[in-house]
Amino acid sequence: MSTVEELKLRVRELENELIKCKQKTDPETPAHVRTKIEEMSAEVVDSNPYSRLMALKRMGIVKSYEKIRSFTVAVVGVGGVGSVTAEMLTRCGIGKLLLFDYDKVELANMNRLFFQPHQAGLSKVEAAEHTLRCINPDVVFETHNYNITTMDNFTHFMDRISNGGLEEGKPVDLLLSCVDNFEARMAINTACNELGQVWMESGVSENAVSGHIQLINPGETACFACAPPLVVATNIDEKTLKKDGVCAASLPTTMGVVAGILVQNVLKYLLGFGTVSYYLGYNAMEDFFPSMTMKANAQCSDMHCRRQQEEHKVATEHPKQEVVKEEEEVVHEDNEWGIEVVDEVTEDELQAASGPKPDLPEGIIPIYTIPPEKSPEDMVEETEQSLEELMAQMKKINLLA
Amino acid sequence: MSTVEELKLRVRELENELIKCKQKTDPETPAHVRTKIEEMSAEVVDSNPYSRLMALKRMGIVKSYEKIRSFTVAVVGVGGVGSVTAEMLTRCGIGKLLLFDYDKVELANMNRLFFQPHQAGLSKVEAAEHTLRCINPDVVFETHNYNITTMDNFTHFMDRISNGGLEEGKPVDLLLSCVDNFEARMAINTACNELGQVWMESGVSENAVSGHIQLINPGETACFACAPPLVVATNIDEKTLKKDGVCAASLPTTMGVVAGILVQNVLKYLLGFGTVSYYLGYNAMEDFFPSMTMKANAQCSDMHCRRQQEEHKVATEHPKQEVVKEEEEVVHEDNEWGIEVVDEVTEDELQAASGPKPDLPEGIIPIYTIPPEKSPEDMVEETEQSLEELMAQMKKINLLA
């Protein structure tokens, strides 16, 4: 019954409606959409997305905020912590982001920030890239939809960490671990020890009420093979964590706080302001935030960690050689704020861990004990016996992201 | 040149494309979109947006997570802290949210989480409601696009706080102040003192590197007329804060952390777990998080505060009467974690403030001094002399959200 004219009108109506709809989601649609900005400006106008960041210079906090554009950060794990971490870095105007994840967005993820219901079914890296590009098209994105712990992917992962910088062939400036399992953490640890790559670890407990961040500079601070990862104790019933076949709890609050303190530490490290934290815990039940530093272990089972320690020693003993960047930062062991962390870990508790005996402040506990014989750099060898043993250990672990 | 068949095909194509596009933004579009859920379930399936929250029960953290649906929270100020606060509460499945703001989204806001460039020009409450409804259609939203400090709006604001609960006629359960100026904070303080409404305040400093949250229970803890709002000192050059005509700095990290600790405190308060914080500060430069409590001042200049103090006294002296809810919570003055807060505020500093002389821990400073004669409940009278005087005070204030 439709005439050609009626149909043509309908086509025009639909085209107009589609343009309006696309303007809401697609960064390429002209009106109301953020276009690329060649140079960061401090001009105070409503249309400048960088005015409030460049104001950090006038406020005396950061010397050169524009430097943010020269840095590349790799985010491994784009879940509850990783996605918010990537969003914060994108909004801060980071130069380049590499995103690694192999998971899909599910409605079950909607209790955390960032992903939205209409993205259910998409790969997390694909969905994240789309949203992040809309938010800030000045950032360069590189995404990898794979599991870094399989042999082939691990090789590719190592290659991208070494060569995926803003200028191809240069390494990334920092790697952030926002993964939810032990195996992925150990793969990152192995890669960073081998490459001498500075990285930061993050984690949130299975009961959703504690989390932490940790800076690892290979050769200087303890790696995951030097000492088990640490968590903030929450004094909850251990039995509730040990049940099989139940999902972990998570909260947007705890994950938002962990992402916030992680990216704050990244900004302080890259832009050189404030005190970079080596370990910062968050216990939501008590609003308790312990901090500490742990030196690398000379008897570490990871040969690359031991090599990095030798190199670090040479670099600090011969200061005309390049000194590792964060040596400039003040470690707040002598803290002026009067926060006192008391070592009350018993000898028995320390005996239970086969790694070094760190001076753990009250409320911080090792997450597992390291198997004495096996070397964790074997972790990425898929068929090694040690992997299965460590997989058994994994079940005891209550960290996720 | 088009035939009817060709045009019909084009119409179908456009209709399909439009549906796909709408699915990304419109909560009413069927496929891939989150539909309303009658009852919260703990079932562990990918399609259940509440599984990770209901798991808090199994983990022994929360007794009845479902109760979250019975609560109404008012968020005043939907900026860098308020928008993330509203998103976290929405994802947690709060019963009802009231949003108050009179600002528009600008590209200059893109350095904080939540709003996206395509929303530039929309009112913040309208843009926020659209996004939040997509994220969780189970939440009831009520938005008010006005400035609460004008006379008429203040009256309407008071009415909605008193009657805008999930069941019309019942008050909200909690009010959150996420505003960026002194006048709005004092209007909220006045309203909550008069209504006996429990509220939480939040703020971020102009230099973007410190923030705080504070719980105010009228009659129990110090209100804004009892003692000036407190901030975490950041030891930066005061001169950089005093320049006129420059915009404040802000960071998504600091605002994300403040929103996170704020909503965490809301969840602890409403669902009854952990220790509710009365004051929690965040100094990003040192990763320092001071906490404290301040009692209401018997000589407070706000008559409604003094009345609330009397009523609170009666309620606690005669326990058969309804005891104020958060009396059950443990205040961590004797804290088991070994965090020591030292009072090193000088007598001169205390003399400078005309309010009560609180025992301020090191690193916490009053944000301004209270004018001795004028009563802050006059704040909402538009033509009062005291308003202008306090407006002059406002210029000294370095809090924003």
Side-chain angles (χ1 to χ4, degrees), chain A residues 2-16, chain B residues 1-4 6-8 10-11 14:
Chain A
S2 308
T3 67
V4 170
E5 282 315 303
E6 279 169 353
L7 282 166
K8 279 183 176 170
L9 181 68
R10 180 73 184 133
V11 166
R12 276 200 302 279
E13 276 174 0
L14 284 166
E15 279 171 347
N16 281 334
Chain B
M1 301 284 285
S2 309
T3 68
V4 169
E6 278 168 354
L7 282 166
K8 279 183 175 170
R10 179 75 185 132
V11 166
L14 284 166

Side-chain angles (χ1 to χ4, degrees), chain A residues 1-275:
Chain A
M1 297 286 283
S2 308
T3 67
V4 170
E5 282 315 303
E6 279 169 353
L7 282 166
K8 279 183 176 170
L9 181 68
R10 180 73 184 133
V11 166
R12 276 200 302 279
E13 276 174 0
L14 284 166
E15 279 171 347
N16 281 334
E17 216 180 323
L18 190 59
I19 285 168
K20 271 188 224 159
C21 180
K22 280 188 172 173
Q23 283 172 344
K24 291 183 184 170
T25 53
D26 190 333
E28 306 307 327
T29 318
H32 277 304
V33 171
R34 161 91 154 75
T35 50
K36 286 199 182 197
I37 292 170
E38 280 307 308
E39 208 167 318
M40 278 190 169
S41 144
E43 198 191 357
V44 183
V45 287
D46 287 343
S47 58
N48 178 7
Y50 296 120
S51 57
R52 268 61 170 173
L53 295 165
M54 292 291 275
L56 288 164
K57 298 194 328 177
R58 257 195 322 262
M59 295 286 170
I61 304 296
V62 177
K63 274 196 193 122
S64 170
Y65 189 83
E66 304 90 315
K67 270 183 71 182
I68 191 88
R69 284 196 159 188
S70 67
F71 297 115
T72 300
V73 175
V75 178
V76 189
V78 188
V81 172
S83 62
V84 182
T85 293
E87 180 176 353
M88 286 176 174
L89 289 169
T90 297
R91 291 185 183 266
C92 283
I94 195 82
K96 181 175 175 182
L97 271 185
L98 282 81
L99 304 177
F100 297 87
D101 205 305
Y102 64 100
D103 227 354
K104 281 191 157 48
V105 179
E106 305 289 357
L107 283 182
N109 306 140
M110 294 306 135
N111 68 321
R112 304 154 218 180
L113 298 179
F114 193 75
F115 291 116
Q116 296 199 11
H118 68 80
Q119 296 174 313
L122 296 176
S123 82
K124 284 185 178 174
V125 292
E126 182 194 353
E129 185 186 357
H130 183 266
T131 304
L132 296 174
R133 205 183 281 281
C134 287
I135 292 171
N136 191 348
D138 296 332
V139 179
V140 179
F141 296 96
E142 177 180 323
T143 61
H144 298 287
N145 187 20
Y146 60 57
N147 180 346
I148 63 161
T149 66
T150 70
M151 183 77 98
D152 285 354
N153 293 339
F154 183 74
T155 307
H156 189 265
F157 170 68
M158 289 267 285
D159 176 69
R160 295 317 296 153
I161 299 309
S162 313
N163 298 301
L166 204 48
E167 189 188 327
E168 182 62 28
K170 293 271 171 73
V172 304
D173 295 286
L174 199 60
L175 182 149
L176 305 178
S177 164
C178 303
V179 298
D180 64 355
N181 65 84
F182 172 78
E183 197 186 6
R185 278 188 174 84
M186 285 310 273
I188 293 167
N189 191 62
T190 303
C192 291
N193 274 339
E194 188 168 337
L195 300 171
Q197 175 64 55
V198 178
W199 61 294
M200 292 184 197
E201 137 79 2
S202 68
V204 173
S205 65
E206 271 199 350
N207 64 5
V209 290
S210 78
H212 71 277
I213 63 161
Q214 189 171 346
L215 167 65
I216 295 138
N217 181 21
E220 188 199 16
T221 55
C223 83
F224 273 17
C226 286
L230 305 171
V231 288
V232 189
T234 46
N235 295 330
I236 70 146
D237 184 1
E238 284 295 309
K239 278 172 284 178
T240 61
L241 290 178
K242 293 289 160 59
K243 282 179 196 159
D244 282 333
V246 298
C247 72
S250 59
L251 281 167
T253 47
T254 309
M255 287 179 155
V257 169
V258 170
I261 58 175
L262 177 66
V263 180
Q264 199 82 279
N265 219 36
V266 170
L267 296 176
K268 291 196 281 182
Y269 174 80
L270 293 177
L271 299 174
F273 66 97
T275 303

Side-chain angles (χ1 to χ4, degrees), chain B residues 312-329:
Chain B
H312 180 76
K313 209 172 153 189
V314 171
T316 47
E317 278 170 3
H318 304 276
K320 65 182 172 182
Q321 295 195 30
E322 196 196 354
V323 176
V324 181
K325 187 180 177 185
E326 64 279 29
E327 282 291 300
E328 297 157 22
E329 306 294 344

Side-chain angles (χ1 to χ4, degrees), chain B residues 57-361:
Chain B
K57 298 192 335 178
R58 257 196 323 261
M59 295 286 168
I61 304 294
V62 177
K63 273 196 193 123
S64 171
Y65 190 85
E66 304 90 314
K67 270 183 70 181
I68 191 87
R69 284 196 158 186
S70 68
F71 298 114
T72 300
V73 175
V75 178
V76 189
V78 189
V81 172
S83 62
V84 182
T85 293
E87 181 176 352
M88 286 177 173
L89 289 168
T90 298
R91 292 186 184 265
C92 282
I94 195 81
K96 181 174 174 182
L97 271 186
L98 283 82
L99 305 178
F100 297 87
D101 204 305
Y102 64 100
D103 227 355
K104 281 191 158 46
V105 179
E106 305 289 357
L107 283 183
N109 306 141
M110 293 307 135
N111 68 320
R112 303 152 219 182
L113 296 179
F114 193 74
F115 291 116
Q116 296 199 10
H118 68 79
Q119 296 175 312
L122 296 176
S123 82
K124 284 185 177 174
V125 291
E126 181 194 353
E129 183 186 359
H130 183 267
T131 303
L132 297 174
R133 204 182 281 282
C134 287
I135 291 171
N136 191 348
D138 296 332
V139 178
V140 179
F141 297 96
E142 178 180 321
T143 61
H144 298 286
N145 187 19
Y146 60 56
N147 180 347
I148 63 161
T149 66
T150 69
M151 184 78 98
D152 285 355
N153 293 340
F154 183 75
T155 308
H156 188 264
F157 170 68
M158 289 267 286
D159 176 69
R160 294 318 297 153
I161 298 309
S162 314
N163 298 301
L166 204 50
E167 190 188 326
E168 182 61 29
K170 292 272 171 72
V172 303
D173 295 285
L174 198 59
L175 182 149
L176 305 179
S177 163
C178 303
V179 298
D180 63 355
N181 65 84
F182 173 77
E183 197 186 7
R185 278 188 175 82
M186 285 311 273
I188 293 167
N189 190 63
T190 304
C192 292
N193 274 337
E194 187 166 340
L195 301 171
Q197 174 65 54
V198 178
W199 61 294
M200 291 184 199
E201 138 78 1
S202 68
V204 174
S205 65
E206 270 198 352
N207 65 6
V209 290
S210 79
H212 71 277
I213 64 161
Q214 189 171 346
L215 167 65
I216 296 139
N217 181 20
E220 189 200 15
T221 55
C223 83
F224 273 16
C226 287
L230 305 171
V231 288
V232 188
T234 45
N235 295 330
I236 69 145
D237 184 2
E238 284 295 311
K239 279 172 284 177
T240 62
L241 290 178
K242 293 287 159 64
K243 283 179 195 160
D244 283 334
V246 298
C247 73
S250 59
L251 281 168
T253 45
T254 309
M255 286 177 156
V257 169
V258 170
I261 60 176
L262 177 67
V263 179
Q264 198 83 280
N265 218 36
V266 170
L267 295 176
K268 291 195 282 184
Y269 174 80
L270 294 177
L271 299 174
F273 66 97
T275 304
V276 176
S277 281
Y278 279 82
Y279 176 93
L280 179 61
Y282 169 42
N283 173 324
M285 298 296 269
E286 307 289 333
D287 284 334
F288 164 56
F289 299 81
S291 66
M292 55 169 294
T293 317
M294 248 187 349
K295 289 249 171 294
N297 174 16
Q299 279 81 47
C300 180
S301 57
D302 185 327
M303 58 172 258
H304 291 294
C305 175
R306 295 197 306 275
R307 175 178 56 80
Q308 296 290 351
Q309 290 182 50
E310 284 306 311
E311 287 174 19
H312 180 76
K313 209 172 153 189
V314 171
T316 47
E317 278 170 3
H318 304 276
K320 65 182 172 182
Q321 295 195 30
E322 196 196 354
V323 176
V324 181
K325 187 180 177 185
E326 64 279 29
E327 282 291 300
E328 297 157 22
E329 306 294 344
V330 182
V331 178
H332 50 165
E333 280 171 325
D334 297 314
N335 88 62
E336 65 184 287
W337 299 106
I339 297 175
E340 200 181 279
V341 276
V342 188
D343 177 7
E344 286 193 6
V345 176
T346 66
E347 275 305 305
D348 285 352
E349 280 173 271
L350 289 174
Q351 289 294 335
S354 59
K357 296 181 172 60
D359 287 333
L360 294 179

